[in-house]
Amino acid sequence: MNKTVNIIGSGFSSLAASCYLAKAGYNVTIFEKNKTIGGRARQLIKEGFTFDIGPTWYWMPDVFERFFNDFNKKPSDYYTLEKLNPAYSVYFDKDDFITIEDTLSKISIAFEKEESGSSIKLNKFIEEAKSNYDVAIKDLVYNPGISPTELITPTTIKKINQFFSTIKRDVRKEFKNPRLVKILEFPVLFLGAKPSDTPSFYSFMNYADFGLGTFHPKKGMYQVILAMENLAKELGVNIKTEETIEKIIVENGVSKGIISNGKAYKSDVVVSGADYHHTETLLEKPNRQYSENYWNKKTFAPSSLLFYVGFDKKLKNVNHHTLFFDVDFDIHAQAIYDNPKWPDNPLFYASFPSKTDKHVAPKGKEAGIFLIPLAPGLEDTPELRETYFNKIINRFENLTSQNVKESIIFKESFCINDFIKDYNSYKGNAYGMANTLMQTAFLRPKLKSKKVKNLFFTGQLTVPGPGVPPSLISGKLVADLVTKYHK
């Protein structure tokens, strides 16, 4: 009889783990609490509009290719990918923006217009970022975070100083134009920490941005979830939805299964892709690895206030991805990391996938997603959500020189309370635990439980960290550990 694995959650990491474990010969069942799979990457469909509730950026296409190649498949077997041009635009003031196009040579021209000599510095910076990317993505991030020695290779020894400097320091040493500085510091926000707290080595995110580019799967990011679901089912994975996990069964220090909706499901191994902190509350206290104090002291990536808006007309002066950096980022960052509170003047991001994709909005209409980064754990009320929507939509109208409020058909919001309710997210965080120096690799929560045999974890609170590509990698890493340690 095949060995069995019960997987909690159906996000990217869980789906990836299920595929690798099924390929290794395990009998795998996924248990998802919501009606649809995908974890944070679910969809909202309303009045002919389709929104990705969670991730909207498709970066690092090579990681997706590597995942599907492990099963002798290609992304194109399941979905159609388009490279965006422009990748995104960044607003700094009314009618004042910089457009980031689809090649480094074009981006260099945009930089040179802003700051003479900056294109030469940019190419040197991206060359180093590519070197870091090659080391990180092709090597380091595929380590399971067990030992500090994973970080010690002939290449990383040469780069050791990059773990003790920061992105902010490196960027500002070379670039003086504040607009270019903001653009170069932007990609590390995906890692969940301030540029001043992010090691220089993570400049590989700049290569992901300028070197590899920004893509869009036709019909949205949820197509990747559906692709992984199809692959998992092809491999024999069973997926159960509307299954609320109440307990992880432990007998004599060994996980023996789960209890979902009052029913016991025995298994040889349990893997949780659900929120790590929440998963440990499914265990008796002696079987938990990390205390409440441990979690409380960690630096978490932001939460978000999101709006999904249907407009009855096409919008002007925006691209598929548009960033609004017309206010002071440092002040907003303080409200996220240093003195958690609702920011007075938040930066925000907007996505209009219908600029690229005719499938996500009715003809002649526009689908808009607006995101404000917030500190996790804040008070979240309908009144606050409405106040902040009005703040950003007024600025949006001014910056892009158009009236849009009268064209809103509907808007839906998603914030801290929803992250907690839908995903059991610790303090309602959106992206997991930040990748600061002291929360990198072996310093993150472990994939393998130290307290309970045959209990494993995957996803954004463990290695490699936040983001969609790291979640795919996390699923592979935990599957490798299961096959190694489960006898």
Side-chain angles (χ1 to χ4, degrees):
M1 180 179 169
N2 285 350
K3 299 287 187 179
T4 57
V5 181
N6 287 337
I7 298 181
I8 304 172
S10 67
F12 284 106
S13 59
S14 292
L15 287 168
S18 78
C19 292
Y20 286 109
L21 289 167
K23 182 185 176 186
Y26 285 86
N27 189 339
V28 183
T29 303
I30 288 175
F31 293 80
E32 167 58 51
K33 75 183 284 286
N34 292 309
K35 290 181 179 180
T36 56
I37 67 162
R40 285 165 164 78
R42 294 179 301 150
Q43 274 185 325
L44 168 65
I45 299 174
K46 183 171 181 176
E47 297 183 31
F49 293 83
T50 301
F51 303 90
D52 284 311
I53 290 179
T56 55
W57 293 79
Y58 192 108
W59 273 9
M60 304 184 186
D62 50 320
V63 175
F64 295 85
E65 288 163 12
R66 181 167 172 174
F67 169 76
F68 285 105
N69 286 346
D70 284 343
F71 304 93
N72 297 314
K73 301 284 187 180
K74 305 185 296 293
S76 59
D77 292 334
Y78 298 98
Y79 55 89
T80 303
L81 207 55
E82 177 184 354
K83 189 173 188 182
L84 296 180
N85 186 32
Y88 56 91
S89 54
V90 185
Y91 269 90
F92 296 98
D93 208 337
K94 181 177 174 65
D95 301 323
D96 176 16
F97 56 89
I98 294 176
T99 297
I100 301 300
E101 294 192 71
D102 61 341
T103 66
L104 182 57
S105 59
K106 293 176 187 174
I107 297 166
S108 296
I109 293 169
F111 267 55
E112 194 65 27
K113 286 180 181 175
E114 288 291 318
E115 181 180 322
S116 179
S118 63
S119 61
I120 297 169
K121 294 177 181 178
L122 176 66
N123 279 270
K124 184 179 177 184
F125 184 80
I126 297 300
E127 184 180 342
E128 181 66 31
K130 181 184 186 302
S131 171
N132 289 351
Y133 189 90
D134 289 341
V135 173
I137 303 303
K138 295 176 182 175
D139 186 8
L140 290 186
V141 296
Y142 283 92
N143 285 314
I146 293 172
S147 163
T149 58
E150 294 171 2
L151 295 177
I152 302 170
T153 69
T155 308
T156 57
I157 287 170
K158 294 176 186 174
K159 294 177 176 287
I160 192 69
N161 289 340
Q162 292 196 38
F163 289 94
F164 297 100
S165 184
T166 67
I167 292 290
K168 180 175 182 177
R169 192 178 306 154
D170 289 0
V171 167
R172 294 177 188 229
K173 183 171 69 177
E174 297 295 335
F175 299 90
K176 305 308 175 191
N177 183 298
R179 294 147 64 94
L180 300 185
V181 166
K182 286 181 179 180
I183 290 172
L184 287 168
E185 290 181 348
F186 150 67
V188 301
L189 299 180
F190 284 105
L191 301 172
K194 293 188 293 185
S196 58
D197 291 333
T198 302
S200 302
F201 183 72
Y202 284 105
S203 69
F204 65 72
M205 292 295 292
N206 293 101
Y207 176 70
D209 181 2
F210 289 179
L212 296 175
T214 304
F215 295 78
H216 173 73
K218 190 175 177 181
K219 299 184 183 178
M221 284 291 287
Y222 196 67
Q223 296 307 304
V224 186
I225 290 291
L226 295 178
M228 296 177 75
E229 177 190 30
N230 286 338
L231 175 59
K233 287 181 175 178
E234 289 168 20
L235 293 163
V237 175
N238 182 30
I239 300 175
K240 298 167 71 72
T241 56
E242 296 185 88
E243 293 281 351
T244 300
I245 310 303
E246 290 138 8
K247 188 176 182 181
I248 296 171
I249 302 167
V250 179
E251 297 174 5
N252 300 318
V254 182
S255 71
K256 294 292 185 179
I258 57 175
I259 295 175
S260 176
N261 295 344
K263 182 179 177 181
Y265 295 87
K266 291 297 186 76
S267 63
D268 298 296
V269 175
V270 173
V271 175
S272 179
D275 179 272
Y276 205 125
H277 169 270
H278 169 72
T279 302
E280 288 221 311
T281 68
L282 303 175
L283 297 163
E284 301 293 336
K285 277 194 175 181
N287 293 322
R288 299 175 190 173
Q289 303 170 91
Y290 304 109
S291 66
E292 287 296 320
N293 192 43
Y294 169 89
W295 295 111
N296 201 43
K297 286 183 176 179
K298 293 298 172 185
T299 300
F300 273 79
S303 186
S304 298
L305 170 55
L306 291 135
F307 296 99
Y308 311 98
V309 186
F311 294 96
D312 68 6
K313 67 177 182 181
K314 302 301 286 184
L315 303 193
K316 301 180 299 182
N317 305 327
V318 290
N319 289 311
H320 185 126
H321 296 298
T322 309
L323 304 167
F324 294 86
F325 285 1
D326 55 308
V327 298
D328 192 313
F329 168 73
D330 290 334
I331 293 174
H332 186 171
Q334 288 170 14
I336 297 173
Y337 297 102
D338 304 327
N339 179 28
K341 64 176 184 176
W342 282 82
D344 293 329
N345 293 300
L347 284 76
F348 66 98
Y349 151 70
S351 174
F352 303 96
S354 46
K355 288 286 177 190
T356 302
D357 193 339
K358 66 181 181 181
H359 298 89
V360 300
K363 188 175 181 180
K365 299 181 181 180
E366 205 86 87
I369 302 167
F370 297 82
L371 182 152
I372 302 172
L374 296 173
L378 297 181
E379 179 188 21
D380 170 17
T381 66
E383 293 76 19
L384 280 165
R385 296 187 189 195
E386 190 64 23
T387 295
Y388 277 80
F389 181 76
N390 289 328
K391 276 180 186 263
I392 63 170
I393 208 69
N394 287 336
R395 274 170 49 204
F396 178 84
E397 288 189 323
N398 178 55
L399 292 165
T400 64
S401 297
Q402 62 188 316
N403 295 318
V404 301
K405 277 183 280 195
E406 304 81 29
S407 299
I408 293 173
I409 304 168
F410 65 84
K411 74 172 189 291
E412 300 280 344
S413 65
F414 198 96
C415 196
I416 291 166
N417 291 347
D418 301 298
F419 281 103
I420 295 169
K421 176 175 67 73
D422 287 1
Y423 312 130
N424 296 307
S425 172
Y426 180 71
K427 293 187 177 180
N429 80 82
Y431 304 106
M433 190 182 287
N435 263 340
T436 61
L437 178 61
M438 298 309 294
Q439 294 180 176
T440 292
F442 66 96
L443 297 171
R444 297 179 72 81
K446 303 301 181 188
L447 290 165
K448 181 178 180 289
S449 173
K450 297 175 288 187
K451 296 282 191 76
V452 180
K453 188 177 179 184
N454 296 340
L455 173 60
F456 298 82
F457 301 82
T458 187
Q460 58 188 8
L461 289 184
T462 183
V463 291
V468 176
S471 292
L472 295 182
I473 295 167
S474 189
K476 176 178 172 58
L477 294 177
V478 77
D480 289 345
L481 281 187
V482 170
T483 56
K484 179 179 180 180
Y485 286 101
H486 173 250
K487 306 297 181 187

